[in-house]
Amino acid sequence: MTLARLTLTGHLARPARLTVPELLRWPQHRADVSFECATSGVQHHHFTGPRLYDVLADVGPGFDPVRRKDRLRFLIAVSGADGHHAVLSWAEIDPDFADAPVLLGVCVDDTRLDTAGPQLVLPQDRCGARHISGITAIRVDGGYRCADAARSAPGHAPAG
């Protein structure tokens, strides 16, 4: 049996490659989820797995710990084996802000996902569009700065 691997990269102190059995080391949470799927209607599943926040906090996101709001510029890009992608903000998962219970599902309906890979589970989403199956990569990116984008955008005057 070949285990699926999830690669954690970006602005991290300790980038990592993790398998489903390794994701079982974090506290496991359960989420009963119903979401609308564009192709097959309403889906009902229960997932277990670690919170995305717990896993990413362990690999050391590169924000300045002295500046509480520095983490608000960090984005989290999630990619699946099937080519689907989703982007979340750090503030969505951070307990000091939205504290969304986003999971890296390692079991769906009591079936382990060792070979398929973990799934991004957003219980708060009504639509299943950000649900990513077979996650292959998560990139934490702190390079986003709104002011830099506005200055370089055509038709925008520099702030002064």
Side-chain angles (χ1 to χ4, degrees), residues 37-127:
C37 179
T39 58
S40 49
V42 177
Q43 300 290 305
H44 303 278
H45 297 287
H46 59 267
F47 294 90
T48 57
R51 289 184 68 162
L52 176 61
Y53 174 83
D54 294 339
V55 173
L56 293 181
D58 264 7
V59 294
F63 38 75
D64 183 346
V66 176
R67 295 177 54 217
R68 181 175 167 262
K69 291 185 180 181
D70 188 50
R71 55 194 148 152
L72 297 180
R73 67 183 168 87
F74 279 68
L75 300 176
I76 303 162
V78 181
S79 299
D82 60 2
H84 285 98
H85 305 280
V87 176
L88 295 89
S89 70
W90 186 268
E92 283 182 81
I93 65 169
D94 192 304
D96 286 340
F97 298 99
D99 196 21
V102 177
L103 298 183
L104 291 175
V106 295
C107 294
V108 58
D109 301 327
D110 300 319
T111 300
R112 290 250 313 243
L113 299 170
D114 291 346
T115 58
Q119 298 186 15
L120 183 66
V121 180
L122 297 105
Q124 70 279 11
D125 283 9
R126 184 185 61 80
C127 170

